[in-house]
């Protein structure tokens, strides 16, 4: 009977799910495991640190449907947690695989490095359980493959991270190769129990509506939902909108697209059109602060049909019904754009992304430093999908402080970052704690990849930037481009100013 | 009655404990809090990311006795956890202060950014509780100062991190200024209950011993123990040793100093002298893998008198007795040396550190990327102590990948990093996953601080390095120095080779 090692089983399962790359940072407890990545047919992309690795996995999963991150017990896995928190709250399925010390070592009563010195091996999985829909630490080889499948199924079902800890000895244990033939039954969401009744209620609401609209939001998953959102918009032929979190799912070059809705942060015509509709089909409504112009949306919930991952609400009535989802990619040939949280994402409200451009931002988690890390994973996913053209990263100098070393991986795939300034628009306008050290971005861009030719251009005005963007040599560049833009200390997009002015007025009233 | 805000109370308490600097990264939930740092008389040192901030706080606390790190709810605090895990297991008191959303916002039922989208605010404090000796999220202004004192007391008592979450509204609540006059009664460790009986047992053992020795280890705390260790060594006048974790506490230029003990990883004369002793006074014994040459020490426990933080063991008998500790600094004028985990720390076994040189490494937690971050904090602590001369960082190219942006803060204080290669000496000798991207260190060193003059020297052989080290201009440099050393792909210190050869022999036997 053909047999394979459990380590290889794990990576072959990922391959079956369409994952072709594992991200991570090597560490000694995980080295045994890493020896099975390539035999299972996956590529290994080492990242400069675990946080960049977690962001890269998130970016990859948003395009390919799921991703894998491999770290080592203790310091390695803890360094990735901020990234996994983002994947959890933004519904991105990332499998966190952690290499554990062997049983023999754990049972010896000796104090191993990367422990807390207390001979306990459960601290970290408890911590990760707060940010995972399912966890397993594989201790018993006889149920290891079942446990792997359980976590993977839960991850795809909930569209959230899973955690698998695997000891050095379990990695090498043999299991029947035929285990790989078992179907992962829960992989696709099955239909809800009340689909028909929900459909009847939706049709009834649409029948009496004079101006129904669709808002494509991001609160119910992303890659597994996107194709349904596109189909729905096409079928209804009504005006459609998106949100900060939902931007980039449906093309904005469609004549029926009418803007990005974020309460008072929207363009005036957009908010007027949304707020006058008498029936809003809202796909994956996510009422978080950044996603709603700081809760300034003005829509009656009785007029909303809210499609969530596990239920649909029509007016005030909730049905256990679903938009059926499947693991399919919706990326079209063309650009990918990732916008950092804060100014960059608000500024993007007023830009139009044509169909086939893949745009996204972290609307809820809002972790600065995310964009350039996520771009690494998305660029690799795009290449695997055969649809990669350009990767455009909007970020800020404050954000680059956290994960600048991601440049060293990203530069191999081409990138056009913009450098903004943002935090001053909040409290502490002139406080010293909001100053960031001055860096030489051109020097960093070059020094992180000294074997590549790169190009850095400074832009000191909107006119300089416009000129640059219109140049054909820039548009079709074949080497990484960095635009180092200096804006006024207090520069901010109109949408951000509108939200803060509104909040200030409310606070004063 | 004079009143102060709770935010200011917190920072004034820290000031009373000798903390003069707060490290961290600003975020919007914490901005209200940061406005009280300077009014309380503390300096603010912003770090490029939270992990660097946590390492800097750890380095600072090792010199000054305690430190403070300030981050924002969610992404900010989670990004620091790896650093706090290290402080927990290496017994370094770091207070993690986290800025929480206001009560009003929490109670509104709205989804705020940086949450997991589930309206729960307890996930992160539960995670941190695994790495803290005490936690508090201040919800009730009436007991806030008592809660702050409770966490601070526990932190100093256990010599481990504490966690204080503080909402934007509690920060601004007024309390009587006189609260600051209350003594923090548990701040110093009180004497144990069995001191006399323990002392008698120790004296009895010493009386019959022919060749007692002292080993200064690091398992029972550091800055609060160091002065006692030095006194004991002076009083006994017997041979003394240290360990990987204990190195740097007692000067090695003493004629009675006889080496760093790490089992078969020690120099032969060192292991012989230790293993032939009939009475070993072991201060803070920490039997972890990295600290014991991978458990190759050869000492009978019946001959050991083990001084831990909360008890003393003589032979097999344990007493609830203590070396009394106090918050005192033991740093002498001169250099500070921080060695990265792995090759750098093992290589340092064979070097001699004179009295007054402050050396340390992470022997148990072993998180790569730590050294350059910790150097930031230690350099600042050294300046506050008026004892700063040079900061020497031994690190490796793999480690620099994780936290290279710390250069931008460190360069303001002078640094001499060495670039090694290490991981190949473990499994996966030639595996691609152990390759790190090639960076231009000279370019990075310069680009992270373009307003400073820095110097980078390449060394391609031991002879080139020796020549460089002997140059007076290099020894007394006034600008940051980077030595970019290229070693043979498989170069490793003799101690590391000895440990691996021994383990290989044992596995084959």
């Amino acid at each position: 009977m053909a047999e394979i090692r459990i380590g290889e089983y794990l990576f072959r399962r990922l391959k079956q799910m369409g994952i072709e790359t594992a991200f991570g940072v090597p560490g000694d407890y995980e080295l045994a495991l890493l020896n099975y990545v390539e035999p299972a047919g996956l590529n290994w992309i080492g990242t400069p640190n675990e946080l960049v690795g977690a962001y890269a996995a998130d970016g990859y999963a948003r395009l390919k449907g799921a991703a894998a991150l491999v770290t080592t017990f203790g310091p390695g896995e803890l360094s990735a947690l901020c990234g996994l928190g983002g994947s959890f709250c933004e519904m991105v399925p990332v499998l966190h695989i952690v290499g554990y010390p062997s049983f023999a070592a754990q049972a010896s009563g000796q104090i191993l490095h990367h422990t807390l010195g207390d001979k306990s091996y459960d601290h970290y999985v408890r911590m990760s359980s707060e940010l995972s829909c399912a966890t397993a630490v594989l201790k018993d080889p006889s149920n290891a493959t079942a446990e792997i499948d359980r976590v993977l199924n839960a991850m795809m079902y909930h569209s959230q991270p899973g955690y698998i800890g695997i000891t050095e000895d379990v990695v090498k244990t043999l299991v029947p190769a035929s285990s790989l033939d078992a179907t992962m039954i829960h992989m696709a969401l099955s239909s809800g129990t009340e689909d028909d009744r929900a459909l009847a209620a939706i049709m009834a609401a649409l029948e009496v509506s004079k101006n129904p609209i669709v808002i494509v939001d991001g609160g119910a998953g992303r890659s597994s939902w996107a194709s349904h959102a596109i189909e729905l918009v096409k079928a209804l032929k009504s005006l459609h909108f998106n949100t900060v979190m939902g931007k980039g799912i449906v093309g904005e070059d469609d004549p029926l697209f009418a803007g990005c809705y974020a309460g008072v942060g929207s363009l005036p015509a957009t908010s007027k059109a949304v707020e006058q509709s008498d029936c809003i089909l809202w796909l994956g409504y996510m009422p978080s602060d950044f996603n709603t112009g700081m809760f300034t949306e003005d829509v009656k919930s009785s007029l909303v049909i809210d499609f969530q991952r596990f239920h649909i609400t029509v007016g005030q009535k909730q049905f256990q019904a679903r938009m059926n989802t499947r693991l399919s990619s919706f990326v079209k040939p063309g650009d990918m754009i990732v916008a950092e949280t804060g100014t960059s994402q608000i500024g993007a409200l007023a830009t139009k992304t044509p169909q086939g451009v893949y745009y996204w931002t972290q609307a809820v988690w809002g972790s600065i430093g995310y964009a350039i890390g996520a771009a690494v994973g998305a660029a690799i996913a795009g290449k695997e999908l055969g649809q990669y053209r350009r990767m455009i990263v909007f970020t800020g100098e404050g954000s680059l402080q956290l994960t600048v070393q991601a440049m060293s991986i990203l530069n191999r795939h081409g990138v056009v970052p913009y450098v903004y300034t943002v935090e001053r628009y909040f409290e502490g306008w002139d406080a010293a704690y909001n100053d960031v050290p001055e860096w030489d971005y051109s020097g960093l861009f070059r020094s992180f990849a000294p074997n590549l030719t790169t190009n850095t251009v400074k832009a000191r005005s909107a006119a300089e930037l416009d000129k640059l963007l219109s140049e054909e040599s820039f548009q079709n560049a074949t080497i990484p481009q960095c635009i180092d833009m200096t804006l006024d200390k207090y520069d901010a997009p109109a949408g951000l100013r509108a939200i803060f002015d509104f909040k200030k007025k409310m606070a004063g009233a």
Side-chain angles (χ1 to χ4, degrees), chain A:
Chain A
M1 186 177 66
E3 291 186 312
I4 58 171
R5 312 271 174 191
I6 290 174
E8 187 172 344
Y9 176 88
L10 171 59
F11 291 114
R12 286 206 178 275
R13 269 302 196 209
L14 300 183
K15 184 74 187 277
Q16 289 177 336
M17 294 165 61
I19 296 175
E20 295 172 89
T21 295
F23 296 91
V25 179
D28 59 342
Y29 293 130
E30 135 207 21
L31 298 183
L33 185 61
L34 292 186
N35 287 329
Y36 297 106
V37 171
E38 291 185 355
L42 268 66
N43 300 311
W44 169 256
I45 302 271
T47 53
N49 64 26
E50 291 84 358
L51 185 55
V52 169
Y55 288 157
D58 182 292
Y60 182 95
R62 284 177 192 249
L63 270 83
K64 297 269 314 235
L69 171 73
V70 192
T71 66
T72 203
F73 182 73
E77 56 179 309
L78 298 191
S79 296
L81 291 183
C82 169
L84 289 153
S87 300
F88 186 88
C89 97
E90 305 243 338
M91 305 189 77
V92 181
V94 172
L95 182 67
H96 191 186
I97 304 167
V98 179
Y100 270 59
S102 72
F103 283 147
Q106 290 190 29
S108 70
Q110 295 170 326
I111 298 175
L112 305 180
H113 65 283
H114 297 349
T115 66
L116 295 180
D118 61 357
K119 301 178 189 177
S120 160
Y121 296 85
D122 302 329
H123 293 288
Y124 314 138
V125 64
R126 276 199 299 268
M127 293 169 74
S128 275
S129 71
E130 302 281 344
L131 310 175
S132 310
C133 64
T135 66
V137 178
L138 306 180
K139 292 179 176 167
D140 176 2
S142 76
N143 73 358
T145 59
E147 282 289 279
I148 289 170
D149 288 2
R150 177 180 64 78
V151 173
L152 290 177
N153 283 329
M155 175 176 99
M156 298 315 298
Y157 184 74
H158 293 281
S159 195
Q160 284 177 322
Y163 176 101
I164 293 181
I166 179 163
T167 63
E168 292 172 295
D169 23 28
V170 165
V171 164
K172 293 177 185 165
T173 305
L174 287 163
V175 290
S178 57
S179 323
L180 280 167
D181 302 334
T183 310
M184 299 182 68
I185 45 169
H186 298 295
M187 188 80 90
L189 280 175
S190 60
S191 181
T193 53
E194 298 184 317
D195 281 4
D196 292 345
R197 288 199 294 145
L199 190 63
I202 294 166
M203 294 311 291
L206 283 174
E207 212 148 283
V208 299
S209 166
K210 292 196 178 101
N211 56 346
I213 62 167
V214 179
I215 299 179
V216 180
D217 204 341
R222 196 167 177 98
S223 82
S224 53
W225 261 61
S227 53
H228 295 284
I230 294 170
E231 281 164 26
L232 187 72
V233 165
K234 279 188 187 156
L236 284 177
K237 294 194 172 58
S238 52
L239 285 185
H240 60 96
F241 302 78
N242 56 27
T243 63
V244 174
M245 196 177 188
K247 196 172 164 72
I249 293 176
V250 176
E252 299 180 353
D253 48 359
D254 184 310
L256 289 171
F257 176 73
C260 183
Y261 183 57
V264 304
S266 326
L267 297 176
T270 300
S271 50
K272 193 172 167 194
V274 168
E275 291 161 10
Q276 289 183 344
S277 166
D278 61 358
C279 180
I280 302 174
L281 284 82
W282 204 313
L283 312 187
Y285 177 47
M286 171 49 89
S288 78
D289 50 6
F290 285 3
N291 204 38
T292 61
M294 305 306 283
F295 308 119
T296 60
E297 48 187 4
D298 186 13
V299 162
K300 282 198 190 69
S301 63
S302 61
L303 302 178
V304 171
I305 301 175
D306 178 17
F307 295 80
Q308 292 295 328
R309 192 167 182 84
F310 298 111
H311 59 82
I312 297 173
T313 307
V314 182
Q316 314 295 355
K317 186 159 171 46
Q318 196 179 95
F319 298 89
Q320 299 309 306
R322 289 167 200 160
M323 283 175 77
N324 278 333
T325 63
R326 56 193 162 85
L327 249 185
S328 65
S329 162
F330 65 97
V331 182
K332 296 293 177 295
D335 291 343
M336 296 172 210
I337 304 176
V338 50
E340 192 61 271
T341 202
T343 316
S344 303
Q345 72 189 189
I346 302 284
L349 285 179
T351 64
K352 276 210 173 188
T353 53
Q355 186 68 45
V357 167
Y358 186 66
Y359 167 98
W360 82 104
T361 186
Q362 261 192 348
V364 186
W365 189 242
S367 174
I368 59 170
Y370 167 78
I372 198 160
V376 170
I380 290 159
K383 288 199 156 192
E384 289 176 7
L385 292 165
Q387 297 166 339
Y388 178 75
R389 206 160 66 92
R390 298 189 302 190
M391 167 60 72
I392 302 169
V393 182
F394 291 86
T395 186
E397 58 179 339
S399 305
L400 274 177
Q401 300 273 320
L402 286 84
T403 49
V404 66
Q405 52 271 79
M407 279 184 173
S408 76
I409 304 295
L410 188 57
N411 269 359
R412 302 177 189 174
H413 301 281
V415 51
V416 187
Y418 294 71
V419 180
Y420 268 84
T421 175
V422 54
E423 189 109 16
R424 298 189 176 280
Y425 217 76
F426 295 82
E427 192 165 343
W429 194 273
D430 276 312
Y433 56 69
N434 274 330
D435 286 326
V436 293
E438 194 175 318
W439 287 359
D440 170 5
Y441 297 99
S442 159
L444 292 175
F445 205 59
R446 198 170 47 241
S447 301
F448 276 125
N451 296 330
L452 289 181
T453 306
T454 58
N455 183 36
T456 300
V457 189
K458 284 184 195 285
R460 293 288 171 266
S461 67
E464 275 182 39
L465 181 66
D466 283 345
K467 183 169 172 297
L468 179 69
L469 295 179
S470 67
E471 284 169 10
E472 204 182 304
S473 62
F474 180 80
Q475 286 182 12
N476 301 310
T478 54
I479 59 171
Q481 306 284 321
C482 172
I483 304 182
D484 177 1
M485 261 178 73
T486 306
L487 300 178
D488 184 78
K489 189 172 176 183
Y490 306 120
D491 182 88
L496 188 61
R497 279 201 295 267
I499 293 167
F500 278 85
D501 289 349
F502 181 83
K503 298 300 262 190
K504 213 182 287 173
K505 208 173 77 185
M506 289 297 103

